[in-house]
Amino acid sequence: MDGVLVHEDRAIPGAADFLRRLVDRERRFLVLTNNSIYTPRDLAARLARSGLDLPEQSIWTSALATAQFLDDQHPGGTAYVIGEAGLTTALHEIGYVLTDIKPDYVVLGETRTYSFEAITRAIRLIGEGARFIATNPDSTGPSQDGPLPATGAVAAMITRATGRDPYYVGKPNPMMFRSAMNAIEAHSEMTAMVGDRMDTDVVAGMEAGLRTYLVLTGSTARADIGRFPFQPNHVVNSVADLIDVI
């Protein structure tokens, strides 16, 4: 989503036409984000403010992917959650009970108000046997005042205190894409990924068996592409260049 369709809450030129063409051609698609703070409804409203019309059913977050993973692994389980509405809502919807009493899992997501008390509780619960899951490995997130510590940075602190590494569900784990494809009943051989980052989007798309398109409107610049040991199938300036490809 960020860097492909929007940049700093402004629609990237061509993004609205790109989405409209997907709908007109009846292509099955999802817009993905590693951000676990917001629900799909929240994100749809944010996109609408940017001039992009997208139903909440077309948005897939790391929180939804994490909930799907937990439902597959241990249906009807319990979890101690550090995160916001995007994550807690997703877990409630699969029937998980959120508790700090002997949970099956500690689930770490993003929040703008990480609590030292909550982190301490997570460390103790993991020490007592709870399994450690994190929505994504992003170490920082953006804000108007500069970078903020994000899930990966807090997970590293918990790992240092417990000696336990989390299982990251979001990008660059290709499971993020596989869960999205399952949600729309898509097959990897007929699916493409459009992303703006080599180190999360392209590598995860490649490992999920997708055709990969890198756009240059986000994190990765053209000069950076060659330093990676893997390459996208296609490099384009923006999604505007893909409208006629759909």
Side-chain angles (χ1 to χ4, degrees):
M1 188 170 81
D2 293 301
V4 176
L5 299 178
V6 293
H7 180 67
E8 294 181 354
D9 290 330
R10 292 187 177 182
I12 288 171
D17 293 332
F18 175 75
L19 292 174
R20 192 175 302 113
R21 179 62 65 88
L22 288 170
V23 173
D24 291 344
R25 293 290 174 88
E26 298 182 348
R27 304 298 192 195
R28 285 171 289 166
F29 71 95
L30 287 173
V31 173
L32 273 64
T33 176
N34 256 1
N35 190 316
S36 66
I37 292 178
Y38 303 107
T39 66
R41 182 176 300 176
D42 297 331
L43 292 170
R46 173 191 165 192
L47 290 172
R49 290 193 296 271
S50 301
L52 302 178
D53 184 18
L54 192 69
E56 60 184 277
Q57 293 82 5
S58 296
I59 298 174
W60 190 253
T61 70
S62 64
L64 293 175
T66 298
Q68 184 62 64
F69 171 77
L70 292 176
D71 193 36
D72 291 340
Q73 291 287 311
H74 188 73
T78 60
Y80 177 70
V81 177
I82 298 176
E84 296 198 17
L87 182 56
T88 57
T89 300
L91 292 175
H92 275 303
E93 288 180 349
I94 62 162
Y96 255 58
V97 173
L98 308 188
T99 179
D100 63 352
I101 307 297
K102 296 183 178 179
D104 298 312
Y105 296 93
V106 165
V107 183
L108 175 67
E110 289 172 288
T111 173
R112 293 191 178 89
T113 56
Y114 283 111
S115 159
F116 189 77
E117 180 180 354
I119 293 169
T120 300
R121 184 63 178 151
I123 289 169
R124 292 172 180 170
L125 290 171
I126 292 169
E128 293 168 4
R131 287 158 284 185
F132 188 17
I133 303 290
T135 57
N136 66 80
D138 300 349
S139 57
T140 62
S143 78
Q144 292 182 346
D145 299 320
L148 293 172
T151 308
V154 177
M157 181 167 57
I158 294 174
T159 293
R160 187 63 181 267
T162 62
R164 299 277 295 279
D165 291 317
Y167 180 75
Y168 291 108
V169 176
K171 301 176 296 180
N173 188 341
M175 180 172 290
M176 176 81 169
F177 289 135
R178 294 193 185 106
S179 65
M181 286 189 289
N182 288 338
I184 59 173
E185 299 181 345
H187 192 280
S188 60
E189 291 182 359
M190 299 295 292
T191 305
M193 186 287 308
V194 181
D196 73 305
R197 291 187 61 139
M198 289 289 291
D199 57 347
T200 56
D201 301 330
V202 172
V203 68
M206 177 190 70
E207 291 179 356
L210 311 182
R211 179 166 293 275
T212 57
Y213 289 82
L214 177 72
V215 296
L216 301 177
T217 49
S219 297
T220 300
R222 189 179 293 274
D224 297 328
I225 299 172
R227 67 183 178 86
F228 289 90
F230 50 87
Q231 296 292 289
N233 296 114
H234 305 276
V235 180
V236 297
N237 289 322
S238 76
V239 289
D241 299 318
L242 298 177
I243 294 171
D244 292 333
V245 177
I246 298 170

